[in-house]
PDB file of all heavy atoms in Angstrom:
ATOM      1  N   ASP A  99      17.591  35.362  40.948  1.00  0.00           N
ATOM      2  CA  ASP A  99      18.897  34.772  40.818  1.00  0.00           C
ATOM      3  C   ASP A  99      19.186  34.196  39.486  1.00  0.00           C
ATOM      4  O   ASP A  99      20.273  33.828  39.146  1.00  0.00           O
ATOM      5  CB  ASP A  99      19.138  33.742  41.900  1.00  0.00           C
ATOM      6  CG  ASP A  99      18.933  34.284  43.291  1.00  0.00           C
ATOM      7  OD1 ASP A  99      19.265  35.468  43.444  1.00  0.00           O
ATOM      8  OD2 ASP A  99      18.397  33.615  44.240  1.00  0.00           O
ATOM      9  N   ALA A 112      12.668  52.645  36.410  1.00  0.00           N
ATOM     10  CA  ALA A 112      13.280  51.594  35.641  1.00  0.00           C
ATOM     11  C   ALA A 112      12.892  51.788  34.129  1.00  0.00           C
ATOM     12  O   ALA A 112      13.719  51.593  33.224  1.00  0.00           O
ATOM     13  CB  ALA A 112      12.867  50.191  36.091  1.00  0.00           C
ATOM     14  N   PHE A 115      15.216  53.907  32.298  1.00  0.00           N
ATOM     15  CA  PHE A 115      16.400  53.314  31.780  1.00  0.00           C
ATOM     16  C   PHE A 115      16.217  52.397  30.544  1.00  0.00           C
ATOM     17  O   PHE A 115      17.093  51.751  30.106  1.00  0.00           O
ATOM     18  CB  PHE A 115      17.058  52.452  32.893  1.00  0.00           C
ATOM     19  CG  PHE A 115      17.807  53.210  33.889  1.00  0.00           C
ATOM     20  CD1 PHE A 115      17.242  53.693  35.059  1.00  0.00           C
ATOM     21  CD2 PHE A 115      19.178  53.465  33.664  1.00  0.00           C
ATOM     22  CE1 PHE A 115      17.999  54.483  35.968  1.00  0.00           C
ATOM     23  CE2 PHE A 115      19.993  54.208  34.565  1.00  0.00           C
ATOM     24  CZ  PHE A 115      19.341  54.725  35.713  1.00  0.00           C
ATOM     25  N   LYS A 118      12.394  46.880  29.741  1.00  0.00           N
ATOM     26  CA  LYS A 118      11.113  46.457  29.151  1.00  0.00           C
ATOM     27  C   LYS A 118      10.590  45.203  29.782  1.00  0.00           C
ATOM     28  O   LYS A 118      11.395  44.282  30.117  1.00  0.00           O
ATOM     29  CB  LYS A 118      11.289  46.296  27.632  1.00  0.00           C
ATOM     30  CG  LYS A 118      11.602  47.602  26.975  1.00  0.00           C
ATOM     31  CD  LYS A 118      11.285  47.449  25.442  1.00  0.00           C
ATOM     32  CE  LYS A 118      11.273  48.813  24.797  1.00  0.00           C
ATOM     33  NZ  LYS A 118      12.521  49.524  24.888  1.00  0.00           N
ATOM     34  N   LYS A 142       0.112  38.216  47.099  1.00  0.00           N
ATOM     35  CA  LYS A 142      -0.029  39.616  47.348  1.00  0.00           C
ATOM     36  C   LYS A 142      -0.847  40.318  46.229  1.00  0.00           C
ATOM     37  O   LYS A 142      -1.691  41.131  46.534  1.00  0.00           O
ATOM     38  CB  LYS A 142       1.413  40.226  47.406  1.00  0.00           C
ATOM     39  CG  LYS A 142       1.523  41.433  48.263  1.00  0.00           C
ATOM     40  CD  LYS A 142       2.889  41.806  48.782  1.00  0.00           C
ATOM     41  CE  LYS A 142       4.066  41.472  47.886  1.00  0.00           C
ATOM     42  NZ  LYS A 142       5.338  41.944  48.434  1.00  0.00           N
ATOM     43  N   ALA A 185     -18.057  60.415  35.382  1.00  0.00           N
ATOM     44  CA  ALA A 185     -18.097  60.743  36.789  1.00  0.00           C
ATOM     45  C   ALA A 185     -17.796  59.547  37.619  1.00  0.00           C
ATOM     46  O   ALA A 185     -16.999  59.639  38.647  1.00  0.00           O
ATOM     47  CB  ALA A 185     -19.433  61.350  37.190  1.00  0.00           C
ATOM     48  N   LYS A 195      -7.081  55.169  44.586  1.00  0.00           N
ATOM     49  CA  LYS A 195      -5.860  55.821  44.972  1.00  0.00           C
ATOM     50  C   LYS A 195      -5.778  56.094  46.470  1.00  0.00           C
ATOM     51  O   LYS A 195      -4.772  55.814  47.123  1.00  0.00           O
ATOM     52  CB  LYS A 195      -5.692  57.181  44.156  1.00  0.00           C
ATOM     53  CG  LYS A 195      -4.320  57.635  44.023  1.00  0.00           C
ATOM     54  CD  LYS A 195      -4.131  59.052  43.706  1.00  0.00           C
ATOM     55  CE  LYS A 195      -4.048  59.195  42.166  1.00  0.00           C
ATOM     56  NZ  LYS A 195      -3.807  60.612  41.763  1.00  0.00           N
ATOM     57  N   LEU A 200      -3.024  52.758  44.782  1.00  0.00           N
ATOM     58  CA  LEU A 200      -2.738  52.288  43.426  1.00  0.00           C
ATOM     59  C   LEU A 200      -3.446  53.212  42.403  1.00  0.00           C
ATOM     60  O   LEU A 200      -4.455  53.836  42.781  1.00  0.00           O
ATOM     61  CB  LEU A 200      -3.303  50.872  43.233  1.00  0.00           C
ATOM     62  CG  LEU A 200      -2.647  49.781  44.147  1.00  0.00           C
ATOM     63  CD1 LEU A 200      -3.431  48.495  44.041  1.00  0.00           C
ATOM     64  CD2 LEU A 200      -1.219  49.589  43.752  1.00  0.00           C
ATOM     65  N   TYR A 238     -11.025  54.706  14.625  1.00  0.00           N
ATOM     66  CA  TYR A 238     -10.755  54.173  13.350  1.00  0.00           C
ATOM     67  C   TYR A 238      -9.354  54.363  12.783  1.00  0.00           C
ATOM     68  O   TYR A 238      -8.793  53.522  12.140  1.00  0.00           O
ATOM     69  CB  TYR A 238     -11.830  54.607  12.289  1.00  0.00           C
ATOM     70  CG  TYR A 238     -13.142  53.909  12.499  1.00  0.00           C
ATOM     71  CD1 TYR A 238     -14.319  54.228  11.801  1.00  0.00           C
ATOM     72  CD2 TYR A 238     -13.275  52.825  13.447  1.00  0.00           C
ATOM     73  CE1 TYR A 238     -15.483  53.559  11.970  1.00  0.00           C
ATOM     74  CE2 TYR A 238     -14.383  52.171  13.610  1.00  0.00           C
ATOM     75  CZ  TYR A 238     -15.560  52.522  12.925  1.00  0.00           C
ATOM     76  OH  TYR A 238     -16.777  51.834  13.042  1.00  0.00           O
ATOM     77  N   TYR A 300     -21.997  39.213  36.309  1.00  0.00           N
ATOM     78  CA  TYR A 300     -22.139  39.563  37.741  1.00  0.00           C
ATOM     79  C   TYR A 300     -20.819  39.137  38.439  1.00  0.00           C
ATOM     80  O   TYR A 300     -20.285  38.080  38.115  1.00  0.00           O
ATOM     81  CB  TYR A 300     -23.331  38.943  38.386  1.00  0.00           C
ATOM     82  CG  TYR A 300     -24.611  39.530  37.838  1.00  0.00           C
ATOM     83  CD1 TYR A 300     -25.332  38.934  36.800  1.00  0.00           C
ATOM     84  CD2 TYR A 300     -25.102  40.697  38.463  1.00  0.00           C
ATOM     85  CE1 TYR A 300     -26.494  39.490  36.335  1.00  0.00           C
ATOM     86  CE2 TYR A 300     -26.270  41.286  38.051  1.00  0.00           C
ATOM     87  CZ  TYR A 300     -26.941  40.669  37.023  1.00  0.00           C
ATOM     88  OH  TYR A 300     -28.118  41.292  36.575  1.00  0.00           O
ATOM     89  N   CYS A 348      -9.545  28.850  29.123  1.00  0.00           N
ATOM     90  CA  CYS A 348     -10.285  29.466  30.253  1.00  0.00           C
ATOM     91  C   CYS A 348      -9.429  30.480  30.958  1.00  0.00           C
ATOM     92  O   CYS A 348      -8.206  30.367  31.025  1.00  0.00           O
ATOM     93  CB  CYS A 348     -10.746  28.433  31.217  1.00  0.00           C
ATOM     94  SG  CYS A 348      -9.468  27.580  32.113  1.00  0.00           S
ATOM     95  N   LYS A 356     -15.333  18.144  48.200  1.00  0.00           N
ATOM     96  CA  LYS A 356     -16.365  17.589  49.091  1.00  0.00           C
ATOM     97  C   LYS A 356     -15.730  16.478  49.975  1.00  0.00           C
ATOM     98  O   LYS A 356     -14.896  15.714  49.511  1.00  0.00           O
ATOM     99  CB  LYS A 356     -17.431  16.958  48.217  1.00  0.00           C
ATOM    100  CG  LYS A 356     -18.771  16.855  48.893  1.00  0.00           C
ATOM    101  CD  LYS A 356     -19.830  16.182  48.015  1.00  0.00           C
ATOM    102  CE  LYS A 356     -20.593  17.129  47.132  1.00  0.00           C
ATOM    103  NZ  LYS A 356     -21.610  16.563  46.292  1.00  0.00           N
ATOM    104  N   PHE A 369      -6.429  33.024  36.024  1.00  0.00           N
ATOM    105  CA  PHE A 369      -5.145  32.911  35.401  1.00  0.00           C
ATOM    106  C   PHE A 369      -4.662  34.298  34.836  1.00  0.00           C
ATOM    107  O   PHE A 369      -5.458  35.102  34.536  1.00  0.00           O
ATOM    108  CB  PHE A 369      -5.248  31.920  34.219  1.00  0.00           C
ATOM    109  CG  PHE A 369      -5.520  30.514  34.646  1.00  0.00           C
ATOM    110  CD1 PHE A 369      -6.830  30.005  34.511  1.00  0.00           C
ATOM    111  CD2 PHE A 369      -4.550  29.745  35.190  1.00  0.00           C
ATOM    112  CE1 PHE A 369      -7.119  28.738  34.849  1.00  0.00           C
ATOM    113  CE2 PHE A 369      -4.855  28.423  35.580  1.00  0.00           C
ATOM    114  CZ  PHE A 369      -6.127  27.874  35.461  1.00  0.00           C
ATOM    115  N   ALA A 430       7.411  30.535  23.554  1.00  0.00           N
ATOM    116  CA  ALA A 430       7.555  29.462  22.687  1.00  0.00           C
ATOM    117  C   ALA A 430       7.337  28.061  23.328  1.00  0.00           C
ATOM    118  O   ALA A 430       6.610  27.238  22.792  1.00  0.00           O
ATOM    119  CB  ALA A 430       8.942  29.502  22.036  1.00  0.00           C
ATOM    120  N   LEU A 464      -7.067   5.144  42.889  1.00  0.00           N
ATOM    121  CA  LEU A 464      -7.981   6.197  43.295  1.00  0.00           C
ATOM    122  C   LEU A 464      -9.389   6.099  42.651  1.00  0.00           C
ATOM    123  O   LEU A 464     -10.384   6.480  43.192  1.00  0.00           O
ATOM    124  CB  LEU A 464      -7.440   7.566  42.863  1.00  0.00           C
ATOM    125  CG  LEU A 464      -6.266   8.084  43.747  1.00  0.00           C
ATOM    126  CD1 LEU A 464      -5.782   9.396  43.256  1.00  0.00           C
ATOM    127  CD2 LEU A 464      -6.644   8.129  45.194  1.00  0.00           C
TER     128      LEU A 464
END
Side-chain angles (χ1 to χ4, degrees):
D99 300 328
F115 277 92
K118 296 204 165 56
K142 205 159 33 175
K195 204 197 268 184
L200 298 170
Y238 284 174
Y300 289 96
C348 67
K356 204 184 269 180
F369 294 102
L464 288 179

